[in-house]
Amino acid sequence: MEDMLFYDRMQFAFTITFHYLFPQLTMGLSLLIVYFKGKFLYNKVEKYNDAAKFWMKIFALNFAMGVVTGIPMEFQFGTNWAKFSELTGGIIGQTLAMEGMFSFFLESSFLGLFIFGEKLLGHKLHFVTGFLVFLGSWMSGYLIIATHSWMQHPVGYEILENGKFVLNNFGALFSNPWLLPSYLHNQLASLVTASFVVAAIGAFYLLNDKHHEFGRIFVKTGVIFGFISSVLVAVPTGDLTAKNVVKYQPATFAAMEGIFHTEKGGSEIVLIGQPNTLDKKLDNKIAVPNILSFLTYQNWDAEIKGLNEFDEKDHPTNIPGLYYAYHIMVGLGTIFIGILFFAVVQLFRKKLYKTKWILWSLVFLLPFPYIANTTGWYTAELGRQPWLVYNLLRTSEGASPTVSSGNTLFTLLGFIGLYLLLGMLFLILVGKMINKGPEPIKH
Amino acid sequence: MELFWYIVLVTMLAVYVILDGYDFGAGIIHLFFAKTEKDKKAITNAIGPFWDANEVWLIAAGGVLFFAFPTLYASSFSGFYLPLIMILWLLIFRAIGLELRGQIHNSMWETIWDKAFGIASLLLALFFGVALGNIVRGVNLGIVMEGVSTHEAHYFFLPLWNPTFSPQAEHLGILDWFTVLLGIIGVVSLAIHGANWIIFKTNSSLNNRLKNVIFTLNFVLLGLVIISLFVWHVIEPKPFHNFITNPWLWIFPIITFTGLLGLFKIKSFKKDGYGFLFSSLFLFGGLASTVASIFPKVLPSTNDVNPSLTIYNVAADEYGLNVGVYWFAIAVVLVAIYMTIQYKVFKGKMDDVGYGEH
C-alpha cells in the first residue's frame, strides 16, 4: 500500500511540476502581449506590433505545451486519486468543470483567431482576441486556485455519513478567505516569470549586439513589469497568504519557518539553516531575533506556535522539503526585488542598456523565477500534507484503490520519458525562435 | 436532475466525437492518402485553427463527468487506468505532430511529425471505439472473485487484454474481439468523417480521390455495423429492450442509418458540406443509440454480486447539480458565441490559412 501511494504522489508531483512551467509563462506573457499590442494601437509604432507578434509565437508554443501537459492533470484526479474524486467531486468538480467551460473554450477559440487572424480581423479586433486569450488564461488560474483554496481551507460543505463531501453553499467557494490572496500572489508571480523572460531575451539581444531596438523594448518592459510585480508578490499578496497559513494551518507555518519549539518572547526569522528532524532543531542557523513575530502579528514579542504544540501525526510529512521550498521561494523573491531595483534606477538614469552587469544578471536569472514559482507551489502542497482536504481527508485515503504500484510506476516512467522529449523539443524550438529574433521592421 | 446532466454529458461527448473526430479522421487520411506536400498542407490547414478548441470538448466533458457523476468518474478512470493514460500520451503526440512539424524545415523532421500525427490519430480513433465497447460490455465491478467482492462495489481494474480476447471471459481485458470490432468501426467511421471535412474545407486535388475513398469505406463501415449488430447479443442478450419500451428512441438508429446510407450518394452531392453532415449524423446517432440501449446504466456489472452503475447511483448531490445548471447555462451561451465567431472567421475553404508556417 505504501509504495502505491508513493508512486501516485510522485506521478502527480512530476506531471504538475512540468505542466506548471508553461502556464506560469503564458498567464504573465499574455498580459505583456496585450500590453505590446495595445501600445502599438496607441502610438502606432510598428515595432510594438512586431514585438507582440514575436512573443505571440513563443506564447503559442508554450500554450500548446501547457494544453498537452494539462489534460493529464484533469485525468489524474480520476485515474490515480479515485477515492478523493469520489468523495469530493461534487465540490471540486464544480470549479474544475467551470474551468473547462468558461476559460478553456475562451482561450482555445480566440488563440486560433489571435494567431491566424491578424489580416482577417484588423488590428483592433486582433487586440480584442489577444485580450480574450489573456482573460481566459487568468480565469483558468482563478478557478484552479479556487479549487486549491478549497483543499487548503474547505468551506461551504457538509460531510455525509458515507464520508462524501457535498456542497451546500456555492458562493462560499468564491468568498473563501484563502482564495483572493493566493490568486493574486500566484498571478503576480506568473507575471514575474514572464517579465524576467522578456527582459532576459532583451538583454541577450543587447549583449549580442543585435536586434537593438527590440532588445531595449524588451529589457525596459521586462524590468518595469518585473519590478512592480516582484514587489507586489511579496507585499501585500505574499504577506497575506502567509497570514492565512498562520491562521488556518499553524503547524504548516511552524514547519515552513523551521520552528520546532514555541519560543517565549518573540520568534526569530531564520535566514539559513538545516532542519534537523532527529534532534528537532535547526543546524547552523543564521537568524534575526523577533522579526518573525513582528512580520506575522505586527508585535515584536508575539508568540508563534512551534511544531511541538501539534500532534506528530498532523505534522507536515516532509518538514525539510517544506522548509527549503519556502526559503528558496522567499530568498529568490528578495533577490529579484534587489536586482530589479538597480535595473529600474539605471533605466531612469538612462544607463540601463549600457550597464553590462545588470544585463548579464538578467540573462542568468532566467531560470530562477521558474524555480521560485515551483518552490512556492511546493510550499503550498507540502504544507497541506498529510492532508488532501485540510484536517478532513488524509492523502493516504485518497488514492485509487485498484491501481497497483506496478501500473502507476509504468505510467510514471512513460510520463518521464515523454516529458523529457517534450522539454528538449521545446528548448530547441524556443531557442531557435529567440536566436532568429523578431521580424526586421522594414526592408 | 441526474437525467438532465446525463443528456448534457452525452451531448458533449457527441460534440467531441464529431469535432475532434474530424481531426482524427484527417490524421488517418493524412497517414494513408496524402502523398504530396500540397495534400498534406491542405489537410493540416483544414484542421489547424480548430483542433485545439475541439479537444477542449473532451476536457469540458471530463469536467462535467467529474462534477455531476463523481463516482462514475472515479470508478471508470481508475478502472480503465492504462488505456486512459495511453490516450493522454497519444493526444500529446497528435498535438506536437501538428504543432511542431512546420517549425523546422528538414525532411526527416517533417516525416517524424507527419507519422506521429497520423499514427496517433489512428490509434485514438481505435481507442475511443474500444472505450465505447468496454462501456456497453460492462466490467467486473467490485472485482468479484469466487462470488466475493474484493473491493468496494463500484471499483474495478482492467488489464489491457486477457489471453482469450473474449468479452465473456471471467477475467476481462480492455481489448477483446467485441471491443476491437467497435474500435475498427471507430477508425473507419472517423476516416470517412475526416475525409468529408477535408472535402468541405479545402479545394485540394485530393478531394475527388477522397470521394472514392469514402464511397469504398462506407461499404466496409456498413458491413462492420451489420456484423456488430449480429454479435451484440453476446454482450447484451436484450439490446432492444429500451427501444421496445420507449419507441421514440428509434429516432437514434434512424439517424445513424440515414447518415450511413446517405453517404453512398457522396459522388453526386451538390455542396461539399453535405458529406460532413451525413457522417456527423452517423456518429451522433451511433453514439446515442449505443448509450440509449443500456440506459439508465452507465457501466454495467458483469457479475451478479454488485449492481451496475446507473446515472442514479453515481451522481453528485441535489444541491450541487441544481446550482450547476445556472453557470452551465451561461457557459453554453458563451461557448455558442465563441464557436460562431470562430467558424465565421474561418468560414469556407481554408487552403490559404498558412497553418504551420512560422
Side-chain angles (χ1 to χ4, degrees), chain A residues 35-80:
Chain A
Y35 165 78
F36 285 132
K37 187 84 200 184
K39 184 129 181 168
F40 162 71
L41 282 180
Y42 179 71
N43 67 9
K44 304 283 184 239
V45 177
E46 194 70 31
K47 65 190 173 188
Y48 280 98
N49 196 36
D50 291 336
K53 280 195 324 214
F54 170 70
W55 286 107
M56 184 182 82
K57 281 180 201 163
I58 291 176
F59 178 90
L61 189 59
N62 252 281
F63 186 85
M65 299 291 278
V67 170
V68 298
T69 57
I71 301 174
M73 302 325 305
E74 192 202 32
F75 274 49
Q76 279 183 80
F77 286 108
T79 53
N80 295 76

Side-chain angles (χ1 to χ4, degrees), chain B residues 75-88:
Chain B
S75 161
S76 58
F77 275 46
S78 61
F80 298 129
Y81 183 83
L82 287 172
L84 276 171
I85 301 279
M86 288 174 186
I87 284 175
L88 294 173

Side-chain angles (χ1 to χ4, degrees), chain B residues 38-307:
Chain B
K38 252 180 86 184
D39 293 344
K40 289 176 183 169
K41 268 267 138 63
I43 293 174
T44 48
N45 275 342
I47 63 170
F50 301 115
W51 74 265
D52 181 35
N54 293 343
E55 199 172 285
V56 171
W57 283 93
L58 177 67
I59 309 172
V64 167
L65 172 64
F66 192 178
F67 119 86
F69 303 107
T71 305
L72 177 61
Y73 170 78
S75 161
S76 58
F77 275 46
S78 61
F80 298 129
Y81 183 83
L82 287 172
L84 276 171
I85 301 279
M86 288 174 186
I87 284 175
L88 294 173
W89 295 344
L90 291 169
L91 284 171
I92 291 176
F93 274 111
R94 189 274 296 260
I96 61 174
L98 273 170
E99 291 290 314
L100 299 193
R101 182 194 195 270
Q103 304 269 0
I104 291 176
H105 296 290
N106 169 295
S107 66
M108 276 175 76
W109 174 270
E110 287 165 358
T111 307
I112 290 169
W113 298 121
D114 280 348
K115 296 290 176 220
F117 164 54
I119 294 170
S121 300
L122 175 78
L123 290 175
L124 281 162
L126 183 76
F127 267 60
F128 282 114
V130 167
L132 189 65
N134 273 275
I135 289 166
V136 289
R137 181 205 56 205
V139 296
N140 183 4
L141 286 170
I143 313 186
V144 171
M145 294 211 246
E146 287 157 8
V148 184
S149 294
T150 58
H151 285 85
E152 275 184 90
H154 47 278
Y155 283 105
F156 67 96
F157 186 86
L158 286 194
L160 288 176
W161 61 76
N162 68 27
T164 63
F165 280 94
S166 160
Q168 293 166 302
E170 190 190 355
H171 299 287
L172 295 166
I174 303 285
L175 301 172
D176 58 44
W177 62 257
F178 176 77
T179 61
V180 171
L181 175 65
L182 290 205
I184 295 169
I185 291 178
V187 172
V188 176
S189 59
L190 291 183
I192 292 172
H193 190 54
N196 277 321
W197 179 258
I198 295 165
I199 293 172
F200 177 36
K201 294 301 279 183
T202 70
N203 285 317
S204 148
S205 53
L206 260 176
N207 286 3
N208 280 324
R209 227 169 81 224
L210 285 182
K211 284 181 188 172
N212 288 322
V213 169
I214 291 169
F215 191 74
T216 315
L217 281 182
N218 217 38
F219 276 107
V220 178
L221 182 59
L222 181 64
L224 289 169
V225 169
I226 291 170
I227 293 172
S228 77
L229 289 176
F230 270 100
V231 299
W232 207 279
H233 66 89
V234 171
I235 55 119
E236 169 63 65
K238 288 186 289 182
F240 297 110
H241 180 263
N242 277 341
F243 295 93
I244 293 161
T245 49
N246 293 293
W248 67 270
L249 287 175
W250 285 105
I251 185 81
F252 296 127
I254 291 170
I255 291 174
T256 316
F257 279 92
T258 309
L260 185 58
L261 300 175
L263 263 185
F264 284 113
K265 299 192 58 113
I266 180 81
K267 289 176 189 168
S268 53
F269 284 147
K270 293 268 181 315
K271 283 198 174 153
D272 285 347
Y274 285 179
F276 181 72
L277 193 67
F278 279 100
S279 51
S280 299
L281 287 179
F282 172 77
L283 292 172
F284 169 74
L287 181 67
S289 308
T290 312
V291 298
S293 75
I294 62 168
F295 184 85
K297 287 184 268 187
V298 281
L299 192 59
S301 172
T302 55
N303 60 57
D304 303 326
V305 180
N306 294 311

Side-chain angles (χ1 to χ4, degrees), chain A residues 367-413:
Chain A
F368 289 96
Y370 285 98
I371 295 172
N373 266 277
T374 304
T375 49
W377 271 104
Y378 283 8
T379 308
E381 295 298 303
L382 290 173
R384 199 190 58 239
Q385 301 301 330
W387 306 98
L388 270 172
V389 182
Y390 197 75
N391 251 337
L392 297 172
L393 181 69
R394 284 178 185 272
T395 308
S396 55
E397 299 165 324
S400 297
T402 61
V403 181
S404 69
S405 55
N407 282 297
T408 314
L409 182 55
F410 175 78
T411 56
L412 171 58
L413 293 170

Side-chain angles (χ1 to χ4, degrees), chain A residues 21 135 207 379 395 433:
Chain A
L21 296 175
L135 193 69
L207 290 170
T379 308
T395 308
M433 285 179 190

